[in-house]
Amino acid sequence: SHGNPKLTEISVLGQGASFGEVALQNDLPRSATIKTREDCVFATLSREDYKAVLQSTFDAFQQERFNFLRCMPLLGNVSEVAITKLSQLMQLRVYARHDIVVDVGTP
């Protein structure tokens, strides 16, 4: 059906989170729909402003993530294209001491 496709929840973003970087960085259409659960305030950035202000910073972060993944033995036989895609999807997560990163039994 072309009407209203069924949405699948992939992530719940908290205060200060960002989204849409891949579309901005690669000049591609959005690959997800963002739906709010409550009233929100967003700061938006046009593609032109992004390129003028942030592109070089994000390019450096992208290269750092790519280099990190390329050095992982588990990914030794993975193509450059796949490593690039993985590095674009990586998100920084900060954990405190004794935080549970992955819990037994979760998918």
Side-chain angles (χ1 to χ4, degrees):
S1 152
H2 294 292
N4 294 322
K6 182 177 178 187
L7 299 179
T8 301
E9 184 176 286
I10 295 172
S11 181
V12 176
L13 304 176
Q15 182 176 350
S18 64
F19 57 89
E21 302 87 10
V22 172
L24 286 173
Q25 292 168 10
N26 298 305
D27 204 19
L28 296 171
R30 303 284 182 202
S31 60
T33 297
I34 306 298
K35 185 175 179 180
T36 62
R37 289 185 166 183
E38 57 190 55
D39 292 347
C40 298
V41 176
F42 289 93
T44 62
L45 187 63
S46 71
R47 181 169 280 119
E48 294 75 29
D49 289 340
Y50 167 82
K51 288 184 183 276
V53 177
L54 296 174
Q55 182 73 51
S56 62
T57 300
F58 281 108
D59 285 348
F61 288 144
Q62 168 69 25
Q63 187 63 48
E64 184 178 321
R65 292 187 299 257
F66 178 89
N67 293 341
F68 170 78
L69 291 173
R70 179 46 63 212
C71 292
M72 294 181 71
L74 176 68
L75 302 176
N77 294 326
V78 175
S79 73
E80 298 283 314
V81 171
I83 294 291
T84 298
K85 288 179 182 179
L86 285 171
S87 66
Q88 292 168 344
L89 297 171
M90 289 176 67
Q91 295 181 5
L92 177 65
R93 301 262 196 242
V94 178
Y95 295 94
R97 185 176 185 189
H98 302 299
D99 280 355
I100 295 174
V101 177
V102 178
D103 205 0
V104 172
T106 59

